[in-house]
Amino acid sequence: MLKKIPFIFLLLWSAASIAQTTLPVPLNIQHTYNIGTRTESGAPGKNYWQNRADYTIKVNFDPKSRLLDGTVSIDYTNNSPDTLTQVWFKLYPNLFKKGSVRNMPIHPEDINEGVRIKKISVNQQDQDIEGLTIEGTNMIIKVPELLPNHHIHFDIDYNFVLNQTSHIRTGQVDTGAFFIAYFFPRVAVYDDIDGWNQNPYRGSEEFYNDFCHFNAEITVPGNYQVWATGDLTNPTKVYTDRYVERIEEAGLNDKVTDIITEADLHEGNISPHNPTNTWKFEADSVTDLAFATSDHYLWKSSSLVVDPKTGRRTKVDAVFNANHKDYFEVINYARKTVEAMSFKFPKWPYPYPHETVFDGLDQMEYPMMVNDNPEEKVFDAITLTDHEIFHTMFPFYMGINETKYGWMDEGWATIGEWVISPLIDPTIVDTFGVPQYENVAGKEADQPIITLTTQLSGPSFEPDSYGKPGLGYFYVRDLLGDELFTKALHYYIQQWHGKHPMPYDFFNCMNAGSGQNLNWFWKSWFFDGGVPDLAIGRVSVQNDLYTISISKVGTKPVPINLTIFYNDGSTQLVHQSISEWKNGNKTYTITHTSHKKIKKMILGGPHDPDVNKENNVWEANR
């Protein structure tokens, strides 16, 4: 016979164990705590470091042959405590090289010889390019001992042919438009967790780059214009006076300015009539530099104050083919996204001087740039625009290792899309990622979010990158409330912007910033298996009092959203955050007084995945 005192003891022990939930920490992550580069509180450690490079890039792009011929000079600083005897580089265009390992399909006509290295020098000493180690998108160069806090200089001459039909984040858009990214040899990240980032670029996983300084000179035919990451430093050399004035006007005004119109294209006096023009851009403390070029795109531009304290403005551009009618409104969607990010969510002043939306063939983000395909539906145009622009914060302002932790940026872009889209168009109910998670939840392919992105494939890849983490952030926001959630998120941003946070830095910063131990939720949602499944249990009615039991059938905590439908056609929503499941409860009781007759009740909302919706409906006896 179970006595009363031991039963109470068991309850207390259970509650205490839940309150003290700890996250399983891999040995290599524990090592960063031991050496002081990271801390268990989430903040960077006293010994935190990251390496840096200064790039001077000069490229000549021929639209007819698609040949990009360039030189890159790199001053690389070793801030690590280690002496380096080799330096790893990324040759991202080698995704299209014959024999490279990839997990995305490429048309046969785009398979080529990859990046051709014509010349390399290290500290002004020419190297034997025949002896280079190049495996797929990785290139290894042996160097003289590079001591801690010392520098090394590289000069590389190279070229490659841009892909034409397999537009994977970069490539030809049409016969006179190109989005060109990942176009130069760059030093891989060397960090305190893995050393060199040796993961090859295979197509599906995205990127991990250091914060660097870029100077770029981009030469194209005289009838082409160029847009890129960073500030254009020579506008008077590449635009005639009329267009310089329009660009300056757009940077100072809230209204939309037509910088290049169809009439301007027909007139043909946008840029100086030279065989080629060279466009110069500069960007500091960014993780990458991309550019786009076209001879027939329109350009709409506007700007807005993103930081009232300083009066700093961000310029927003939409550059597009006149045949794509949705793009005439994209400038407004983009501007409203930048405004919402600065003042609504995440309520952080937009950190960069401009954001350019380029009409391309992909749905991809780059520092200060996005490459977005045209969309026929307003819903799709809005959600695509705000999703890609939201990436400005994650992974670019926060230097996330997308290759390993794709959910640390895609999950944020997903919740950003959910929150911001209705601010642009109140009719939008965006559930991107939720059905995809429901379809895989609890099945063999369902993997924990914390699984490395490099280890994901098949039906688990998208839910683990987008919907599931987006829901996790969404639920914590609901749990904490907007004010406390924003405080915690800002703490994370303050600690790690311009650095390389990992998952545990995020979890611990949110705990510290909110003043709450959320490990019970992080563990259940991001680490553990299981499924989301709530059910309406017993419903009792006495006079006007309804007692409704909500059962937590699955193991994943989701909020309670019960919609009550009355006989007169009206509805009412009863909401409870995930807090009710914190202490291991399996049921939650709703007591509801109503003087109107209830027709039925339905459990679940647009962001509440549920593997069994048959037990989510209660109907009154007729």
Side-chain angles (χ1 to χ4, degrees):
M1 180 177 178
L2 184 64
K3 296 183 179 179
K4 191 172 184 180
I5 293 177
F7 179 69
I8 294 174
F9 173 79
L10 286 172
L11 288 177
L12 292 173
W13 177 85
S14 175
S17 65
I18 291 169
Q20 296 173 7
T21 299
T22 58
L23 303 180
V25 182
L27 293 177
N28 58 324
I29 304 302
Q30 293 180 30
H31 179 66
T32 67
Y33 303 148
N34 297 335
I35 63 176
T37 56
R38 299 169 194 263
T39 66
E40 294 178 275
S41 68
K46 63 179 182 179
N47 297 326
Y48 180 80
W49 55 266
Q50 61 194 57
N51 291 351
R52 177 183 170 89
D54 292 340
Y55 290 83
T56 299
I57 304 166
K58 298 181 180 181
V59 299
N60 189 313
F61 178 66
D62 178 6
K64 292 182 178 179
S65 66
R66 305 190 319 281
L67 179 69
L68 186 144
D69 194 86
T71 64
V72 57
S73 295
I74 308 169
D75 288 309
Y76 183 66
T77 303
N78 178 22
N79 293 318
S80 81
D82 306 322
T83 297
L84 306 178
T85 57
Q86 59 182 16
V87 174
W88 285 60
F89 280 74
K90 295 297 181 183
L91 303 178
Y92 291 130
N94 275 4
L95 178 70
F96 298 91
K97 184 179 179 180
K98 182 179 180 180
S100 289
V101 176
R102 47 185 166 263
N103 55 16
M104 294 186 74
I106 291 176
H107 293 164
E109 57 266 37
D110 275 326
I111 296 176
N112 55 39
E113 297 305 314
V115 178
R116 176 179 172 236
I117 302 296
K118 298 190 292 184
K119 181 181 178 181
I120 290 181
S121 68
V122 178
N123 291 337
Q124 286 75 49
Q125 298 295 314
D126 289 347
Q127 304 296 299
D128 176 14
I129 59 174
E130 298 299 326
L132 287 176
T133 299
I134 299 178
E135 296 180 356
T137 56
N138 288 335
M139 177 173 72
I140 306 171
I141 300 178
K142 294 180 180 180
V143 298
E145 286 192 343
L146 179 56
L147 300 174
N149 301 313
H150 281 63
H151 312 272
I152 194 168
H153 182 83
F154 298 93
D155 289 296
I156 304 175
D157 294 3
Y158 69 100
N159 63 33
F160 70 93
V161 176
L162 186 71
N163 49 298
Q164 183 178 23
T165 56
S166 308
H167 193 103
I168 302 175
R169 304 188 178 94
T170 180
Q172 179 171 321
V173 179
D174 60 35
T175 55
F178 307 82
F179 196 99
I180 304 175
Y182 327 118
F183 63 94
F184 56 93
R186 63 171 307 144
V187 181
V189 175
Y190 185 84
D191 68 19
D192 60 320
I193 298 175
D194 297 319
W196 290 111
N197 171 26
Q198 299 182 23
N199 291 306
Y201 171 44
R202 302 183 302 172
S204 61
E205 303 93 351
E206 296 181 13
F207 304 93
Y208 183 34
N209 295 312
D210 275 322
F211 289 87
C212 300
H213 183 94
F214 294 93
N215 276 296
E217 297 184 13
I218 301 162
T219 300
V220 294
N223 60 328
Y224 276 74
Q225 281 74 53
V226 177
W227 300 265
T229 301
D231 296 320
L232 178 64
T233 61
N234 66 333
T236 59
K237 298 294 184 181
V238 293
Y239 289 111
T240 56
D241 291 346
R242 179 195 308 177
Y243 300 94
V244 173
E245 291 173 2
R246 290 180 184 177
I247 293 169
E248 291 176 348
E249 177 187 356
L252 297 172
N253 286 280
D254 290 357
K255 70 181 183 69
V256 175
T257 299
D258 287 305
I259 295 178
I260 297 177
T261 65
E262 291 185 77
D264 296 322
L265 291 169
H266 182 74
E267 184 179 314
N269 291 315
I270 300 170
S271 296
H273 291 175
N274 300 320
T276 63
N277 290 311
T278 298
W279 306 67
K280 298 181 180 181
F281 295 89
E282 183 174 7
D284 190 35
S285 297
V286 294
T287 58
D288 205 357
L289 184 141
F291 75 93
T293 184
S294 175
D295 65 355
H296 64 281
Y297 270 26
L298 308 184
W299 182 2
K300 290 180 177 288
S301 186
S302 181
S303 67
L304 67 154
V305 173
V306 295
D307 188 351
K309 293 181 180 179
T310 63
R312 181 172 60 83
R313 302 182 75 91
T314 288
K315 190 160 76 72
V316 183
D317 302 302
V319 183
F320 58 97
N321 188 325
N323 293 331
H324 299 153
K325 301 307 179 185
D326 66 299
Y327 253 95
F328 284 87
E329 285 298 318
V330 164
I331 182 65
N332 296 316
Y333 307 152
R335 191 181 188 282
K336 289 176 181 178
T337 299
V338 171
E339 181 179 34
M341 289 177 63
S342 300
F343 299 104
K344 297 291 186 180
F345 182 74
K347 296 183 182 178
W348 191 275
Y350 204 77
Y352 297 115
H354 78 82
E355 182 66 41
T356 302
V357 183
F358 189 82
D359 177 4
L361 294 176
D362 216 300
Q363 302 183 351
M364 186 62 192
E365 70 281 357
Y366 319 78
M368 306 183 213
M369 303 276 288
V370 298
N371 176 14
D372 283 352
N373 56 266
E375 296 283 4
E376 292 184 2
K377 298 178 181 178
V378 170
F379 175 96
D380 294 331
I382 289 174
T383 56
L384 173 58
T385 300
D386 57 32
H387 180 106
E388 302 306 340
I389 292 178
F390 200 89
H391 274 301
T392 296
M393 294 298 295
F394 312 91
F396 299 130
Y397 195 59
M398 312 287 285
I400 289 162
N401 183 347
E402 296 178 90
T403 308
K404 288 175 63 177
Y405 317 121
W407 58 271
M408 289 186 70
D409 78 299
E410 292 295 355
W412 282 112
T414 300
I415 183 181
E417 175 185 331
W418 293 341
V419 173
I420 293 175
S421 295
L423 298 177
I424 299 174
D425 182 348
T427 67
I428 287 179
V429 178
D430 185 2
T431 60
F432 167 66
V434 181
Q436 291 87 341
Y437 174 40
E438 281 184 333
N439 289 338
V440 75
K443 298 177 182 177
E444 286 181 311
D446 190 12
Q447 299 294 315
I449 297 172
I450 201 68
T451 306
L452 297 183
T453 304
T454 52
Q455 299 171 351
L456 292 173
S457 63
S460 63
F461 186 91
E462 186 172 319
D464 270 14
S465 300
Y466 296 85
K468 285 169 68 177
L471 290 167
Y473 306 146
F474 200 67
Y475 296 161
V476 170
R477 183 173 183 250
D478 180 48
L479 169 69
L480 297 177
D482 187 61
E483 183 176 352
L484 184 56
F485 178 83
T486 301
K487 177 184 176 184
L489 181 57
H490 283 192
Y491 179 76
Y492 170 51
I493 295 172
Q494 288 161 355
Q495 296 298 317
W496 286 100
H497 76 81
K499 301 181 180 69
H500 295 310
M502 63 173 180
Y504 296 86
D505 301 320
F506 163 69
F507 296 136
N508 293 330
C509 276
M510 292 297 289
N511 289 352
S514 66
Q516 297 187 24
N517 187 337
L518 300 169
N519 284 350
W520 69 274
F521 178 73
W522 303 135
K523 186 175 185 300
S524 178
W525 194 262
F526 288 81
F527 290 79
D528 294 346
V531 297
D533 184 11
L534 298 185
I536 298 177
R538 184 171 182 272
V539 177
S540 62
V541 184
Q542 186 173 4
N543 297 324
D544 294 333
L545 180 65
Y546 289 77
T547 303
I548 308 149
S549 177
I550 305 298
S551 300
K552 184 170 176 278
V553 180
T555 57
K556 293 288 189 186
V558 292
I560 297 166
N561 287 293
L562 183 71
T563 304
I564 300 173
F565 296 81
Y566 295 101
N567 283 347
D568 63 3
S570 62
T571 62
Q572 183 177 355
L573 176 67
V574 178
H575 171 75
Q576 177 61 46
S577 76
I578 56 173
S579 62
E580 287 306 316
W581 313 124
K582 176 180 178 179
N583 293 322
N585 300 333
K586 293 296 183 180
T587 60
Y588 175 70
T589 301
I590 297 172
T591 54
H592 178 73
T593 301
S594 174
H595 301 300
K596 298 187 294 184
K597 292 294 183 180
I598 294 178
K599 181 179 181 181
K600 66 178 179 180
M601 293 181 280
I602 298 179
L603 183 63
H607 298 102
D608 301 337
D610 197 307
V611 297
N612 179 16
K613 295 186 178 181
E614 293 183 359
N615 54 19
N616 290 12
V617 179
W618 176 87
E619 295 192 69
N621 294 327
R622 297 183 183 277

